[in-house]
């Protein structure tokens, strides 16, 4: 192992560099340090938190239930932390991650306000040469990405934004100070998870709110509520059981979808199940049956259920029609909301249907569609992210022969990884929740823990057996990528334009980059690979 040398020159020698101080970076840093390696995490923000540091928009909260949206590696930590409600708000998650950073003394090994600009593999030394924006040069044996899947924001190139005289914000880079909407005319573009959460909150304050909607969405009620002490105590008492259940399911939640098709039930039975799930709120609707995402007819049953609910909630029939979704339910990320549809009944809220009247441009006073001008004081972009590969491409990562990750993955639709953990030609470079891992379709903290545990075991194995290098074999990654693709193509996911497929980013190769069977089955595959002397990897 090498020792840290921060003071003598700008060249720092480390065993490992971790990018980011969100859920991934914090836990990776902790495990590496506890195993005795010299390691430093580099974080662009001023504090820990990753996406939860940046996403401070009104209404921002997680839609995974609190008790499962946390680390499970430490029972002590689980017992110490008390969540206040079913879905944690952004400030509460940020407070949790700060608590974790303090509890495990992580800050001393994190350099904040620092962006990793490049990481180049040096074939002569078998190490990564890493450069930061504060002109530091670091040499590390292991380069580990904890950049997350949704940290590269997508600001659509709409003509005229520079001319806009009002203020504009992207939900993914919200200011730290409160944005005041009172008395303001506000426009918001986008009705994905971020838009759906912020629209009702902004509407409560703004004088007028114009919602620019391109695709109507299926929004299930979150049904948030405060936890009682009894409920929290019950969850804490059941820590081991919960952890065991979460580790084995597809989504990393304590319960899975029942082994039943939506078409097995009569219309009445199905309606009853959907009604109950709607009342419970959360992802219960999405997991009502096991074939909603593979069978068009089953999917249509739940799509119709949503359309009926929207008609019940919305007072104006034309408006209800404009809010009717018509893509396959669940093939864009299922959305949970609180009073989302109800907000359109407010007199200060207007839906602008971009399917009928697309945005032409932004002008100095607001947004111009092909039909009308909307004068605005504030414009909010809830327009999402260049998912999965976007955050990695922000760093100039180069492997063998100087090949950049971007060039390797961008040519055609050729993003290829082995297990979503590594990619051929980039030795000792690990990705936490990388493309082609279960990531965003399973419970993220749980996926992160699984990846980090696998990576630390792998590094220990390499060190104990005096290997300099681990690298994915090309045939192994070809097989894995094809396996991921075949599974995706047997579902309805690939039939819809979404950030899952990269279709939201102009010019991005269309490719579904998530391992669909989920974290439970994936964990077993990764363990088998490791137990089989890291089958599919070169160890040199
Ligand atoms: O982004 P999105 P998001 N003109 O890509 C529209 C996670 N997350 O930030 O559907 C007009 O989902 C776009 O329209 P369309 C979660 O995984 C979680 O909301 O492409 N509209 C869409 O309506 C989520 O899936 C939480 O037609 C344009 C919206 O912008 C992911 O982050 C909270 C446009 C983008 O929706 C991303 O969610 C927040 C244009 N040029 C986020 N470009 C929770 O845990 C884009 N749009 C609750």
């Amino acid at each position: 192992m090498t020792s840290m040398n921060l003071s003598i020159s700008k060249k720092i020698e480390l065993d490992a560099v971790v990018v980011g101080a969100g859920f991934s970076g914090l836990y990776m840093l902790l495990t590496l340090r506890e195993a005795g390696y010299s390691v430093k995490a580099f974080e662009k923000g001023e504090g820990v938190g990753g996406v939860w540091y940046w996403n401070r928009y009104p209404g921002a909260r997680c839609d995974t239930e609190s008790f499962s949206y946390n680390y499970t590696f430490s029972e002590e930590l689980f017992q110490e932390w008390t969540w206040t409600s079913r879905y944690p708000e952004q400030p509460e998650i940020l407070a949790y991650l700060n608590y974790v950073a303090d509890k495990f003394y992580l800050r001393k090994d994190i350099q904040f306000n620092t962006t990793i600009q490049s990481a180049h593999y040096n074939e002569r030394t078998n190490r990564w040469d890493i450069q930061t924006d504060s002109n530091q040069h670091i040499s590390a044996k292991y380069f580990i990405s904890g950049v997350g899947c949704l940290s590269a924001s997508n600001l659509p190139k709409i003509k005229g934004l520079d001319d806009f005289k009002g203020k504009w914000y992207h939900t993914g880079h919200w200011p730290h100070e409160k944005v005041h909407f009172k008395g303001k005319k506000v426009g918001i573009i986008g009705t994905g998870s971020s838009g759906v959460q912020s629209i009702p909150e902004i509407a409560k304050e703004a004088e007028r709110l114009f919602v620019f909607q391109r695709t109507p969405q299926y929004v299930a009620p979150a049904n948030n509520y405060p936890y009682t002490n009894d409920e929290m105590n019950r969850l804490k008492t059941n820590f081991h059981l919960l952890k065991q259940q979460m580790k084995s399911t597809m989504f990393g939640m304590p319960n899975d979808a029942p082994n039943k098709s939506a078409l097995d039930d009569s219309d009445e039975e199905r309606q009853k199940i959907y009604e109950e799930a709607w009342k419970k709120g959360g992802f219960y609707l999405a997991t009502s049956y096991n074939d909603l995402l593979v069978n068009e007819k089953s999917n249509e049953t739940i799509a119709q259920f949503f359309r009926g609910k929207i008609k019940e909630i919305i007072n104006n029939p034309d408006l209800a029609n404009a809010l009717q979704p018509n893509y396959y339910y669940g093939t864009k990320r299922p959305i949970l909301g609180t009073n989302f549809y109800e907000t359109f009944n407010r007199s200060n809220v207007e839906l602008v249907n971009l399917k009928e009247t697309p945005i032409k441009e932004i002008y100095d006073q607001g947004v111009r569609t092909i039909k009308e001008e909307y004068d605005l004081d504030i414009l909010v972009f809830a327009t999402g992210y260049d998912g999965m590969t976007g955050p990695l491409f922000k760093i100039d990562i180069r492997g063998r022969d100087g090949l950049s990750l971007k060039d390797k993955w961008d040519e055609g639709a050729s993003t290829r990884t082995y297990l979503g953990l590594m990619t051929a030609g980039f030795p000792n470079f690990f990705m936490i929740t990388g493309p082609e891992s279960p990531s965003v379709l399973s419970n993220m903290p749980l996926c992160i823990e699984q990846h980090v545990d696998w990576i630390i075991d792998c590094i220990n194995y390499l060190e104990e057996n005096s290997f300099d290098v681990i690298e994915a074999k090309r045939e192994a990654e070809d097989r894995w990528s094809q396996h991921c693709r075949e599974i995706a193509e047997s579902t309805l996911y690939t039939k819809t334009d979404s950030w899952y497929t990269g279709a939201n980013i102009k010019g991005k190769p269309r490719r579904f980059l998530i391992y669909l069977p989920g974290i439970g089955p994936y964990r077993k595959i990764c363990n088998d690979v490791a137990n089989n002397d890291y089958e599919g990897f070169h160890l040199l």
Side-chain angles (χ1 to χ4, degrees):
M1 286 179 212
T2 54
S3 62
M4 214 186 302
N5 181 1
L6 298 171
S7 53
I8 299 167
S9 77
K10 287 262 174 182
K11 179 90 168 185
I12 304 165
E13 297 277 334
L14 293 168
D15 293 320
V17 158
V18 175
V19 194
F23 266 102
S24 302
L26 291 178
Y27 184 43
M28 191 74 247
L29 172 60
L30 176 64
T31 55
L32 282 160
R33 208 177 60 188
E34 283 189 340
Y37 301 103
S38 62
V39 52
K40 204 165 178 62
F42 292 85
E43 165 58 53
K44 185 178 171 192
E46 262 176 46
V48 301
V51 289
W52 298 107
Y53 174 88
W54 298 105
N55 276 259
R56 296 164 186 255
Y57 59 83
R61 64 169 78 234
C62 184
D63 56 13
T64 302
E65 298 193 32
S66 335
F67 71 85
S68 54
Y69 196 77
N70 45 207
Y71 294 116
T72 61
F73 69 82
S74 159
E75 181 174 5
E76 188 180 276
L77 170 65
F78 190 86
Q79 299 297 343
E80 279 171 6
W81 186 261
T82 297
W83 294 105
T84 60
S85 61
R86 183 178 182 188
Y87 303 101
E89 275 187 287
Q90 176 270 337
E92 199 175 357
I93 305 172
L94 192 58
Y96 170 76
L97 290 170
N98 274 288
Y99 181 82
V100 171
D102 291 338
K103 179 176 170 68
F104 297 103
Y105 306 102
L106 296 175
R107 280 176 222 284
K108 67 186 173 69
D109 293 318
I110 305 171
Q111 185 172 316
F112 293 103
N113 300 307
T114 308
T115 302
I116 303 261
Q117 289 184 318
S118 64
H120 295 177
Y121 183 67
N122 184 328
E123 292 186 56
R124 197 176 42 79
T125 60
N126 279 333
R127 295 174 67 83
W128 284 87
D129 292 331
I130 296 157
Q131 177 131 15
T132 71
D133 62 349
S134 33
N135 205 23
Q136 287 164 299
H137 301 270
I138 304 130
S139 164
K141 182 167 178 185
Y142 302 105
F143 179 55
I144 306 173
S145 159
V147 294
C149 303
L150 293 161
S151 55
S153 52
N154 168 38
L155 185 68
K157 291 187 180 60
I158 303 176
K159 194 176 121 200
L161 180 58
D162 288 345
D163 300 331
F164 182 53
K165 295 270 192 316
K167 295 235 177 342
W168 66 266
Y169 307 97
H170 190 285
T171 46
H173 294 277
W174 203 259
H176 287 208
E177 54 289 352
K178 179 171 165 47
V179 175
H180 294 278
F181 296 104
K182 196 158 190 283
K184 305 275 193 240
K185 289 193 277 300
V186 183
I188 180 164
I189 303 179
T191 50
S193 301
S194 308
V196 163
Q197 287 188 329
S198 47
I199 284 164
E201 296 302 316
I202 298 173
K204 283 183 207 162
E205 227 189 292
E207 181 187 308
R208 297 289 311 273
L209 175 63
F210 299 97
V211 178
F212 296 92
Q213 172 198 269
R214 191 163 64 182
T215 305
Q217 302 278 11
Y218 301 94
V219 180
N223 190 11
N224 190 30
Y225 51 77
Y227 278 146
T228 59
N229 287 344
D230 280 357
E231 185 156 16
M232 203 62 234
N233 288 340
R234 186 180 53 76
L235 291 165
K236 286 187 178 185
T237 309
N238 284 325
F239 170 73
H240 290 286
L241 180 65
L242 285 172
K243 181 172 172 178
Q244 203 44 46
Q245 288 170 335
M246 280 159 38
K247 279 174 83 166
S248 59
T249 61
M250 176 175 180
F251 300 112
M253 315 285 184
N255 35 344
D256 250 344
N259 196 14
K260 192 178 189 188
S261 159
L263 306 179
D264 288 344
D265 277 340
S266 67
D267 290 353
E268 295 72 33
E269 281 164 336
R270 206 170 38 236
Q271 186 70 12
K272 196 165 155 246
I273 282 175
Y274 287 153
E275 283 290 354
E276 277 165 13
W278 178 272
K279 277 200 201 91
K280 276 199 228 169
F283 290 120
Y284 285 98
L285 270 164
T287 54
S288 304
Y289 294 103
N290 68 1
D291 64 343
L292 295 175
L293 283 153
V294 290
N295 183 325
E296 294 182 18
K297 285 192 177 139
S298 295
N299 194 285
E300 184 54 22
T301 64
I302 194 162
Q304 278 183 15
F305 175 81
F306 269 93
R307 293 182 199 126
K309 283 287 173 201
I310 296 167
K311 282 191 179 144
E312 275 174 31
I313 297 169
I314 300 290
N315 301 335
N316 173 333
D318 289 340
L319 185 56
N321 278 341
L323 285 164
Q324 296 281 302
N326 61 7
Y327 61 92
Y328 292 112
Y329 165 78
T331 53
K332 284 177 186 273
R333 168 69 150 64
I335 301 177
L336 304 188
T338 301
N339 295 327
F340 172 69
Y341 293 120
E342 290 81 350
T343 296
F344 290 92
N345 289 331
R346 294 177 67 112
S347 57
N348 67 333
V349 176
E350 186 176 323
L351 182 77
V352 183
N353 183 347
L354 299 183
K355 281 274 188 280
E356 283 177 1
T357 57
I359 294 176
K360 191 174 162 209
E361 61 195 356
I362 295 171
Y363 64 106
D364 60 346
Q365 299 300 321
V367 169
R368 187 177 285 130
T369 66
I370 56 165
K371 193 168 157 217
E372 263 180 70
E373 288 186 347
Y374 298 87
D375 285 357
L376 303 172
D377 303 305
I378 298 175
L379 178 57
V380 176
F381 289 91
T383 45
Y385 299 88
D386 180 355
M388 319 296 297
T389 52
L392 289 163
F393 289 168
K394 289 202 320 198
I395 307 171
D396 175 22
I397 300 173
R398 289 174 191 268
R400 290 193 191 279
D401 303 321
L403 178 67
S404 82
L405 190 65
K406 195 163 191 311
D407 285 345
K408 177 179 174 187
W409 284 356
D410 250 9
E411 48 160 272
S414 68
T415 305
R416 284 190 309 275
T417 73
Y418 182 35
L419 304 171
L421 278 161
M422 300 196 84
T423 188
F426 295 76
N428 295 358
F429 166 51
F430 295 96
M431 295 167 285
I432 304 171
T433 67
E436 299 181 333
S437 73
S439 71
V440 291
L441 279 173
S442 289
N443 179 357
M444 277 302 264
L446 204 79
C447 291
I448 286 165
E449 284 189 327
Q450 183 271 340
H451 269 200
V452 169
D453 291 344
W454 193 92
I455 292 169
I456 194 67
D457 286 351
C458 174
I459 290 177
N460 286 337
Y461 180 88
L462 298 175
E463 296 298 323
E464 281 157 18
N465 294 283
S466 303
F467 289 115
D468 291 326
V469 163
I470 181 165
E471 182 178 351
K473 291 181 178 167
R474 278 186 203 279
E475 57 274 22
E477 76 172 11
D478 285 346
R479 269 200 309 275
W480 180 254
S481 292
Q482 183 163 346
H483 176 56
C484 290
R485 203 162 47 240
E486 280 171 3
I487 295 169
E489 278 163 11
S490 69
T491 71
L492 302 174
Y493 279 107
T494 51
K495 299 189 189 300
T496 297
D497 285 348
S498 70
W499 66 260
Y500 290 157
T501 59
N504 63 329
I505 303 297
K506 207 167 171 211
K508 186 168 177 172
R510 190 184 174 100
R511 185 76 191 272
F512 190 86
L513 292 175
I514 304 160
Y515 178 66
L516 274 173
I519 183 67
Y522 174 81
R523 179 188 308 277
K524 186 175 176 317
I525 295 170
C526 291
N527 288 347
D528 288 349
V529 165
N531 292 335
N532 222 353
D533 298 326
Y534 291 90
E535 189 181 11
F537 289 101
H538 294 291
L539 300 181
L540 307 169

